[in-house]
Amino acid sequence: MVLSKTASESDVSVHSTFASRYVRTSLPRFRMAENSIPKEAAYQIINDELMLDGNPRLNLASFVTTWMEPECDKLMMASINKNYVDMDEYPVTTELQNRCVNIIAHLFNAPLEESESAVGVGTVGSSEAIMLAGLAFKRKWQNKRRAEGKPIDNPNIVTGANVQVCWEKFARYFEVELKEVKLREGYYVMDPEKAVEMVDENTICVAAILGSTLNGEFEDVKHLNDLLVEKNKETGWDTPIHVDAASVWFIAPFLYPELEWDFRLPLVKSINVSGHKYGLVYAGIGWVIWRNKEDLPEELIFHINYLGADQPTFTLNFSKGSSQVIAQYYQLIRLGFEGYRNVMENCRENMIVLKEGLEKTKRFNIVSKDEGVPLVAFSLRDNHRHDEFEISDLLRRFGWIVPAYTMPPDAQHVTVLRVVIREDFSRTLAERLVNDIQKVLHELDTLPSKLSSNVKAADGEDGKPAETRALESKKSDLEKTREITTIWRKFVMARKQKMNVVC
C-alpha cells in the first residue's frame, strides 16, 4: 500500500519533451485521460520520470537483490503471465515451489524422514511469512487453552525492540500483544535472559532475529532455546520459538555451519526467510518453513476446487506471479552449495574492506559485528557539530543511498549509518564509497554546526543568542545528541512530505 501526496498542488499535468514527437497535449496527472495515446509516448513519459529514481545498485539501504543473471531474467519474463495460485493449470510451477520448500527445509536441518515432504509455503516476502507463522502459533495456543478450559483473549509474543515493522503489523492486525525487550547502548539485539523472564502462560512464541536489520548481529537462539527449555519444565508450559531469518538464511548455513539456530534446536518450530534478499532473487518472494505437520494447524489450510483439482492453500493473498518462485529454483540449482558459499564469502570480504576503510578515517565507531549479515553499521565518534543525518544527505550528491537512523528504545540516543553489502557491491565500489565519505567529512568540517545555525535562528527575548543560552544551560552530551537528532528528523520529514511515502 502506498500513501501518497501530490508533488505540487499547481502542477496537475504530466509533460514529456521527447514524447512530443507523438503527442503534444499534456496528460492529467491524477485523473484518467479521455483519449488514448501512442504506446511510444506512454513508454517515453514513464521512462523519463523513472530516470529520477535512485540507482538500485547504489541503494545501500536495501537488503533486496538488484541483479540476477540474464538467463534467470529470461525465465522470469517467460513466466510473468502465470498466476502462481493456479496449481492445476501450472503443475510444473507448483512442483518447483515444492522443491524449493524441501531444499530450504533440509538446509535448515528439518527432522524429516527419507521420504517425508517438508511443510512450508512460498510467500510474497518475509512479511507475509511472519503473518502466517504468527497465525499458526496463535491458533495452536488457542486450541491448547480451549482444551484446558482457559481464556484465549490475551495472547502475546516476546521479541526484541530491534524487530522489523512486520512484527508490529502482525501484533496490531491480529490482536496480539507485542512484548519487547528493550535494547541498550552497545547491545543492540534481544537479551535471551530478559526475553525468557517476560514469557508467561499467554506467550504464543518467542521471536528471535537471526541477523538484525539494525546492525546485522545474530541473536543467540541456542541460549534462548536452552533457557526456554528450563522454564517450560518449571512451569509446564510449552512456549516455542520462531526464528526470523529474513536476512540471513543463505548466510549462516554457508559461512557459519556450526552455529546452532535452526531446527537442530527442539523449540524452533518455524522459520521465515526472504528469497529476495540473500536468496538472490528480485523482490517478491519469501518462504516460511515449519518443523513438522503438527506445527501448522490443519484448520488454517483452505481447500479449493474452482480452479480445477483440490488445491490446499495457506496465504494471506490469493493471486500472485510465478516468476520469483521459478527464479528461486534457478538460483538453488544454478549455484548449489558451492556457489552460494562463494557469493557469501565474497560479500563478507567486501564488508571487511569497507569496515577497514572507515576505521582508517578515525572518525567512526563500528557498531556492526564481523559475524553476522555482511553489512557495516557505523556512527560518528563526535557528532556534536555535524551528525549522521548530514552525512547521509550529502552522500546522495554522489548517488549513494546510505540510511541514517536512530536505534530503538532504550538506545534511541544512538544514531547510525548502515551499508548493506550485496552480491553486486564490489570491492571497487567499497573503496569509492570510503573516498566519497571522506569528501563529505571534509566538506562538513568547513561548514558551521547545523545545531548552531538552527539555534541562532531562535534567539530569546533576553537578547542573548540562543546558542549562548544553550551553552549556559550546560546540557549533557546526551541532551545535545537528542536535540541534533530531533532537528534533523524534522528536516528529513519535511523533505519526505514532498515525496511518496511507502507503507
Short mmCIF file of all heavy atoms in Angstrom, two decimals, residues 121-167:
data_model
loop_
_atom_site.label_atom_id
_atom_site.label_comp_id
_atom_site.label_asym_id
_atom_site.label_seq_id
_atom_site.Cartn_x
_atom_site.Cartn_y
_atom_site.Cartn_z
N VAL A 121 5.60 -22.95 2.62
CA VAL A 121 4.90 -22.29 1.52
C VAL A 121 5.69 -21.08 1.06
O VAL A 121 6.39 -20.44 1.86
CB VAL A 121 3.47 -21.87 1.97
CG1 VAL A 121 3.53 -20.82 3.06
CG2 VAL A 121 2.66 -21.38 0.79
N GLY A 122 5.60 -20.77 -0.23
CA GLY A 122 6.17 -19.55 -0.76
C GLY A 122 5.25 -18.38 -0.49
O GLY A 122 4.02 -18.51 -0.56
N THR A 123 5.82 -17.24 -0.18
CA THR A 123 5.04 -16.05 0.15
C THR A 123 5.53 -14.86 -0.66
O THR A 123 6.53 -14.95 -1.37
CB THR A 123 5.15 -15.73 1.65
OG1 THR A 123 6.52 -15.48 1.97
CG2 THR A 123 4.63 -16.89 2.50
N VAL A 124 4.84 -13.73 -0.53
CA VAL A 124 5.26 -12.53 -1.24
C VAL A 124 6.59 -12.02 -0.69
O VAL A 124 7.41 -11.46 -1.41
CB VAL A 124 4.18 -11.44 -1.15
CG1 VAL A 124 4.67 -10.14 -1.77
CG2 VAL A 124 2.91 -11.91 -1.86
N GLY A 125 6.83 -12.23 0.58
CA GLY A 125 8.06 -11.82 1.24
C GLY A 125 8.02 -12.28 2.67
O GLY A 125 7.11 -13.00 3.09
N SER A 126 8.99 -11.85 3.47
CA SER A 126 9.01 -12.28 4.87
C SER A 126 7.86 -11.71 5.68
O SER A 126 7.47 -12.29 6.69
CB SER A 126 10.34 -11.88 5.52
OG SER A 126 11.31 -12.89 5.34
N SER A 127 7.32 -10.58 5.25
CA SER A 127 6.19 -10.01 6.00
C SER A 127 5.00 -10.97 5.99
O SER A 127 4.42 -11.27 7.04
CB SER A 127 5.79 -8.67 5.40
OG SER A 127 6.78 -7.70 5.62
N GLU A 128 4.65 -11.48 4.82
CA GLU A 128 3.55 -12.45 4.76
C GLU A 128 3.94 -13.73 5.48
O GLU A 128 3.12 -14.34 6.18
CB GLU A 128 3.17 -12.76 3.31
CG GLU A 128 1.97 -13.70 3.23
CD GLU A 128 1.66 -14.18 1.82
OE1 GLU A 128 2.48 -13.94 0.90
OE2 GLU A 128 0.61 -14.81 1.65
N ALA A 129 5.19 -14.15 5.33
CA ALA A 129 5.64 -15.36 6.01
C ALA A 129 5.50 -15.25 7.51
O ALA A 129 5.08 -16.19 8.19
CB ALA A 129 7.10 -15.64 5.63
N ILE A 130 5.83 -14.09 8.07
CA ILE A 130 5.71 -13.87 9.51
C ILE A 130 4.24 -13.86 9.94
O ILE A 130 3.88 -14.40 10.99
CB ILE A 130 6.41 -12.56 9.89
CG1 ILE A 130 7.93 -12.77 9.90
CG2 ILE A 130 5.95 -12.03 11.25
CD1 ILE A 130 8.74 -11.52 10.03
N MET A 131 3.39 -13.27 9.12
CA MET A 131 1.96 -13.28 9.43
C MET A 131 1.44 -14.72 9.52
O MET A 131 0.70 -15.08 10.44
CB MET A 131 1.17 -12.53 8.36
CG MET A 131 1.58 -11.10 8.13
SD MET A 131 1.06 -9.98 9.44
CE MET A 131 1.84 -8.46 8.88
N LEU A 132 1.84 -15.56 8.57
CA LEU A 132 1.36 -16.95 8.55
C LEU A 132 1.91 -17.72 9.74
O LEU A 132 1.18 -18.48 10.39
CB LEU A 132 1.77 -17.61 7.24
CG LEU A 132 1.21 -17.00 5.95
CD1 LEU A 132 1.71 -17.76 4.73
CD2 LEU A 132 -0.31 -16.96 5.98
N ALA A 133 3.20 -17.55 10.03
CA ALA A 133 3.79 -18.23 11.17
C ALA A 133 3.13 -17.79 12.47
O ALA A 133 2.82 -18.61 13.35
CB ALA A 133 5.29 -17.98 11.22
N GLY A 134 2.89 -16.48 12.60
CA GLY A 134 2.25 -15.95 13.79
C GLY A 134 0.84 -16.49 13.97
O GLY A 134 0.42 -16.83 15.09
N LEU A 135 0.10 -16.60 12.87
CA LEU A 135 -1.26 -17.14 12.94
C LEU A 135 -1.24 -18.60 13.39
O LEU A 135 -2.12 -19.04 14.14
CB LEU A 135 -1.95 -17.01 11.58
CG LEU A 135 -2.41 -15.60 11.20
CD1 LEU A 135 -2.89 -15.58 9.76
CD2 LEU A 135 -3.52 -15.12 12.13
N ALA A 136 -0.25 -19.36 12.91
CA ALA A 136 -0.15 -20.76 13.32
C ALA A 136 0.12 -20.87 14.81
O ALA A 136 -0.49 -21.69 15.52
CB ALA A 136 0.95 -21.45 12.52
N PHE A 137 1.03 -20.04 15.33
CA PHE A 137 1.31 -20.05 16.77
C PHE A 137 0.07 -19.65 17.56
O PHE A 137 -0.24 -20.26 18.59
CB PHE A 137 2.46 -19.10 17.09
CG PHE A 137 3.81 -19.65 16.77
CD1 PHE A 137 4.62 -19.03 15.84
CD2 PHE A 137 4.29 -20.79 17.40
CE1 PHE A 137 5.87 -19.52 15.54
CE2 PHE A 137 5.54 -21.30 17.12
CZ PHE A 137 6.34 -20.66 16.18
N LYS A 138 -0.62 -18.62 17.11
CA LYS A 138 -1.80 -18.15 17.84
C LYS A 138 -2.88 -19.22 17.88
O LYS A 138 -3.49 -19.47 18.92
CB LYS A 138 -2.34 -16.87 17.19
CG LYS A 138 -3.54 -16.29 17.92
CD LYS A 138 -4.03 -15.00 17.27
CE LYS A 138 -5.25 -14.45 18.02
NZ LYS A 138 -5.77 -13.22 17.38
N ARG A 139 -3.12 -19.89 16.73
CA ARG A 139 -4.17 -20.90 16.70
C ARG A 139 -3.81 -22.11 17.56
O ARG A 139 -4.67 -22.65 18.26
CB ARG A 139 -4.42 -21.32 15.25
CG ARG A 139 -5.57 -22.34 15.09
CD ARG A 139 -6.87 -21.81 15.70
NE ARG A 139 -7.28 -20.57 15.08
CZ ARG A 139 -8.08 -20.50 14.00
NH1 ARG A 139 -8.53 -21.61 13.45
NH2 ARG A 139 -8.44 -19.33 13.51
N LYS A 140 -2.54 -22.53 17.54
CA LYS A 140 -2.13 -23.65 18.38
C LYS A 140 -2.30 -23.31 19.86
O LYS A 140 -2.76 -24.13 20.66
CB LYS A 140 -0.67 -24.03 18.10
CG LYS A 140 -0.46 -24.82 16.82
CD LYS A 140 0.79 -25.70 16.91
CE LYS A 140 0.60 -26.80 17.92
NZ LYS A 140 1.75 -27.74 17.97
N TRP A 141 -1.91 -22.09 20.23
CA TRP A 141 -2.07 -21.65 21.62
C TRP A 141 -3.55 -21.62 22.01
O TRP A 141 -3.92 -22.06 23.10
CB TRP A 141 -1.43 -20.27 21.77
CG TRP A 141 -1.60 -19.64 23.11
CD1 TRP A 141 -0.87 -19.87 24.24
CD2 TRP A 141 -2.59 -18.66 23.48
NE1 TRP A 141 -1.33 -19.10 25.28
CE2 TRP A 141 -2.38 -18.35 24.85
CE3 TRP A 141 -3.61 -18.02 22.79
CZ2 TRP A 141 -3.17 -17.42 25.51
CZ3 TRP A 141 -4.39 -17.10 23.46
CH2 TRP A 141 -4.17 -16.81 24.81
N GLN A 142 -4.39 -21.09 21.12
CA GLN A 142 -5.83 -21.03 21.41
C GLN A 142 -6.42 -22.42 21.58
O GLN A 142 -7.21 -22.66 22.50
CB GLN A 142 -6.54 -20.29 20.28
CG GLN A 142 -6.28 -18.79 20.25
CD GLN A 142 -6.93 -18.12 19.06
OE1 GLN A 142 -7.03 -18.71 17.97
NE2 GLN A 142 -7.36 -16.88 19.24
N ASN A 143 -6.05 -23.33 20.70
CA ASN A 143 -6.59 -24.70 20.79
C ASN A 143 -6.20 -25.36 22.10
O ASN A 143 -7.01 -26.05 22.74
CB ASN A 143 -6.09 -25.54 19.61
CG ASN A 143 -6.69 -25.09 18.28
OD1 ASN A 143 -7.70 -24.39 18.24
ND2 ASN A 143 -6.08 -25.52 17.19
N LYS A 144 -4.96 -25.16 22.51
CA LYS A 144 -4.49 -25.75 23.76
C LYS A 144 -5.20 -25.14 24.96
O LYS A 144 -5.62 -25.85 25.89
CB LYS A 144 -2.98 -25.57 23.90
CG LYS A 144 -2.35 -26.22 25.12
CD LYS A 144 -0.84 -26.09 25.08
CE LYS A 144 -0.17 -26.82 26.25
NZ LYS A 144 -0.48 -26.20 27.54
N ARG A 145 -5.38 -23.82 24.95
CA ARG A 145 -6.05 -23.14 26.05
C ARG A 145 -7.53 -23.55 26.14
O ARG A 145 -8.06 -23.74 27.24
CB ARG A 145 -5.94 -21.63 25.87
CG ARG A 145 -4.52 -21.10 25.86
CD ARG A 145 -3.96 -20.90 27.24
NE ARG A 145 -4.61 -19.79 27.93
CZ ARG A 145 -4.29 -19.41 29.16
NH1 ARG A 145 -3.35 -20.05 29.83
NH2 ARG A 145 -4.91 -18.38 29.73
N ARG A 146 -8.18 -23.68 24.99
CA ARG A 146 -9.59 -24.11 25.00
C ARG A 146 -9.71 -25.50 25.60
O ARG A 146 -10.63 -25.77 26.40
CB ARG A 146 -10.14 -24.12 23.57
CG ARG A 146 -10.45 -22.75 23.00
CD ARG A 146 -11.32 -22.89 21.76
NE ARG A 146 -11.54 -21.60 21.10
CZ ARG A 146 -10.85 -21.16 20.06
NH1 ARG A 146 -9.89 -21.93 19.54
NH2 ARG A 146 -11.10 -20.00 19.52
N ALA A 147 -8.80 -26.39 25.21
CA ALA A 147 -8.86 -27.75 25.73
C ALA A 147 -8.66 -27.79 27.24
O ALA A 147 -9.18 -28.69 27.92
CB ALA A 147 -7.78 -28.61 25.04
N GLU A 148 -7.94 -26.80 27.76
CA GLU A 148 -7.69 -26.73 29.21
C GLU A 148 -8.74 -25.89 29.92
O GLU A 148 -8.67 -25.71 31.14
CB GLU A 148 -6.30 -26.14 29.46
CG GLU A 148 -5.16 -27.00 28.93
CD GLU A 148 -3.82 -26.30 29.03
OE1 GLU A 148 -3.81 -25.06 29.24
OE2 GLU A 148 -2.78 -26.97 28.88
N GLY A 149 -9.70 -25.36 29.17
CA GLY A 149 -10.75 -24.53 29.76
C GLY A 149 -10.25 -23.18 30.22
O GLY A 149 -10.81 -22.59 31.16
N LYS A 150 -9.23 -22.64 29.57
CA LYS A 150 -8.65 -21.36 29.97
C LYS A 150 -8.98 -20.28 28.94
O LYS A 150 -9.25 -20.58 27.78
CB LYS A 150 -7.13 -21.50 30.10
CG LYS A 150 -6.71 -22.47 31.21
CD LYS A 150 -5.19 -22.60 31.28
CE LYS A 150 -4.76 -23.55 32.37
NZ LYS A 150 -3.29 -23.72 32.43
N PRO A 151 -8.94 -19.00 29.33
CA PRO A 151 -9.28 -17.91 28.41
C PRO A 151 -8.24 -17.78 27.29
O PRO A 151 -7.06 -18.13 27.46
CB PRO A 151 -9.28 -16.67 29.31
CG PRO A 151 -8.43 -17.04 30.48
CD PRO A 151 -8.64 -18.50 30.70
N ILE A 152 -8.69 -17.23 26.15
CA ILE A 152 -7.82 -17.10 24.98
C ILE A 152 -7.78 -15.66 24.47
O ILE A 152 -7.46 -15.41 23.31
CB ILE A 152 -8.29 -18.03 23.84
CG1 ILE A 152 -9.72 -17.65 23.40
CG2 ILE A 152 -8.23 -19.49 24.25
CD1 ILE A 152 -10.17 -18.34 22.14
N ASP A 153 -8.10 -14.71 25.35
CA ASP A 153 -8.29 -13.34 24.89
C ASP A 153 -7.07 -12.43 25.10
O ASP A 153 -7.16 -11.23 24.88
CB ASP A 153 -9.49 -12.72 25.61
CG ASP A 153 -9.36 -12.75 27.12
OD1 ASP A 153 -8.46 -13.46 27.61
OD2 ASP A 153 -10.15 -12.08 27.80
N ASN A 154 -5.93 -12.99 25.51
CA ASN A 154 -4.79 -12.11 25.79
C ASN A 154 -3.46 -12.70 25.33
O ASN A 154 -2.50 -12.76 26.10
CB ASN A 154 -4.74 -11.79 27.29
CG ASN A 154 -3.80 -10.63 27.60
OD1 ASN A 154 -3.63 -9.73 26.79
ND2 ASN A 154 -3.19 -10.68 28.77
N PRO A 155 -3.34 -13.12 24.06
CA PRO A 155 -2.08 -13.70 23.60
C PRO A 155 -0.99 -12.65 23.46
O PRO A 155 -1.26 -11.47 23.23
CB PRO A 155 -2.44 -14.28 22.23
CG PRO A 155 -3.56 -13.41 21.76
CD PRO A 155 -4.35 -13.05 22.98
N ASN A 156 0.26 -13.07 23.59
CA ASN A 156 1.37 -12.14 23.40
C ASN A 156 2.55 -12.84 22.73
O ASN A 156 2.65 -14.08 22.75
CB ASN A 156 1.80 -11.49 24.73
CG ASN A 156 2.44 -12.48 25.70
OD1 ASN A 156 3.54 -12.99 25.46
ND2 ASN A 156 1.75 -12.75 26.81
N ILE A 157 3.42 -12.03 22.14
CA ILE A 157 4.68 -12.50 21.57
C ILE A 157 5.80 -11.73 22.24
O ILE A 157 5.69 -10.52 22.44
CB ILE A 157 4.73 -12.27 20.05
CG1 ILE A 157 3.83 -13.27 19.32
CG2 ILE A 157 6.16 -12.40 19.51
CD1 ILE A 157 3.82 -13.08 17.82
N VAL A 158 6.87 -12.42 22.61
CA VAL A 158 8.04 -11.77 23.19
C VAL A 158 9.11 -11.67 22.12
O VAL A 158 9.43 -12.66 21.45
CB VAL A 158 8.57 -12.56 24.40
CG1 VAL A 158 9.87 -11.93 24.91
CG2 VAL A 158 7.53 -12.61 25.51
N THR A 159 9.66 -10.50 21.96
CA THR A 159 10.73 -10.29 20.99
C THR A 159 11.56 -9.08 21.40
O THR A 159 11.25 -8.42 22.40
CB THR A 159 10.14 -10.09 19.57
OG1 THR A 159 11.20 -10.11 18.61
CG2 THR A 159 9.38 -8.78 19.47
N GLY A 160 12.59 -8.79 20.65
CA GLY A 160 13.42 -7.63 20.95
C GLY A 160 12.86 -6.38 20.31
O GLY A 160 12.08 -6.44 19.35
N ALA A 161 13.28 -5.23 20.82
CA ALA A 161 12.84 -3.96 20.25
C ALA A 161 13.45 -3.71 18.87
O ALA A 161 13.07 -2.75 18.19
CB ALA A 161 13.20 -2.81 21.18
N ASN A 162 14.36 -4.58 18.45
CA ASN A 162 15.02 -4.44 17.16
C ASN A 162 14.28 -5.14 16.03
O ASN A 162 14.80 -5.23 14.92
CB ASN A 162 16.44 -5.01 17.25
CG ASN A 162 16.46 -6.46 17.70
OD1 ASN A 162 15.82 -6.81 18.69
ND2 ASN A 162 17.21 -7.31 17.01
N VAL A 163 13.07 -5.63 16.28
CA VAL A 163 12.35 -6.36 15.24
C VAL A 163 11.93 -5.44 14.10
O VAL A 163 11.77 -4.23 14.27
CB VAL A 163 11.10 -7.07 15.79
CG1 VAL A 163 11.48 -8.19 16.72
CG2 VAL A 163 10.16 -6.08 16.46
N GLN A 164 11.74 -6.05 12.94
CA GLN A 164 11.27 -5.31 11.77
C GLN A 164 9.80 -4.96 11.94
O GLN A 164 9.08 -5.61 12.70
CB GLN A 164 11.50 -6.16 10.51
CG GLN A 164 11.85 -5.37 9.26
CD GLN A 164 10.63 -5.09 8.40
OE1 GLN A 164 9.54 -5.54 8.70
NE2 GLN A 164 10.83 -4.37 7.32
N VAL A 165 9.34 -3.96 11.23
CA VAL A 165 7.99 -3.44 11.42
C VAL A 165 6.91 -4.48 11.15
O VAL A 165 5.79 -4.37 11.66
CB VAL A 165 7.76 -2.19 10.55
CG1 VAL A 165 7.71 -2.57 9.07
CG2 VAL A 165 6.50 -1.44 10.96
N CYS A 166 7.21 -5.52 10.36
CA CYS A 166 6.18 -6.51 10.06
C CYS A 166 5.70 -7.24 11.32
O CYS A 166 4.55 -7.69 11.38
CB CYS A 166 6.67 -7.52 9.02
SG CYS A 166 8.21 -8.34 9.45
N TRP A 167 6.56 -7.34 12.35
CA TRP A 167 6.12 -7.93 13.61
C TRP A 167 5.11 -7.03 14.31
O TRP A 167 4.14 -7.51 14.90
CB TRP A 167 7.32 -8.20 14.51
CG TRP A 167 8.10 -9.41 14.09
CD1 TRP A 167 9.24 -9.44 13.35
CD2 TRP A 167 7.75 -10.77 14.35
NE1 TRP A 167 9.63 -10.74 13.14
CE2 TRP A 167 8.74 -11.57 13.75
CE3 TRP A 167 6.70 -11.38 15.03
CZ2 TRP A 167 8.70 -12.97 13.81
CZ3 TRP A 167 6.67 -12.77 15.10
CH2 TRP A 167 7.66 -13.55 14.49
#
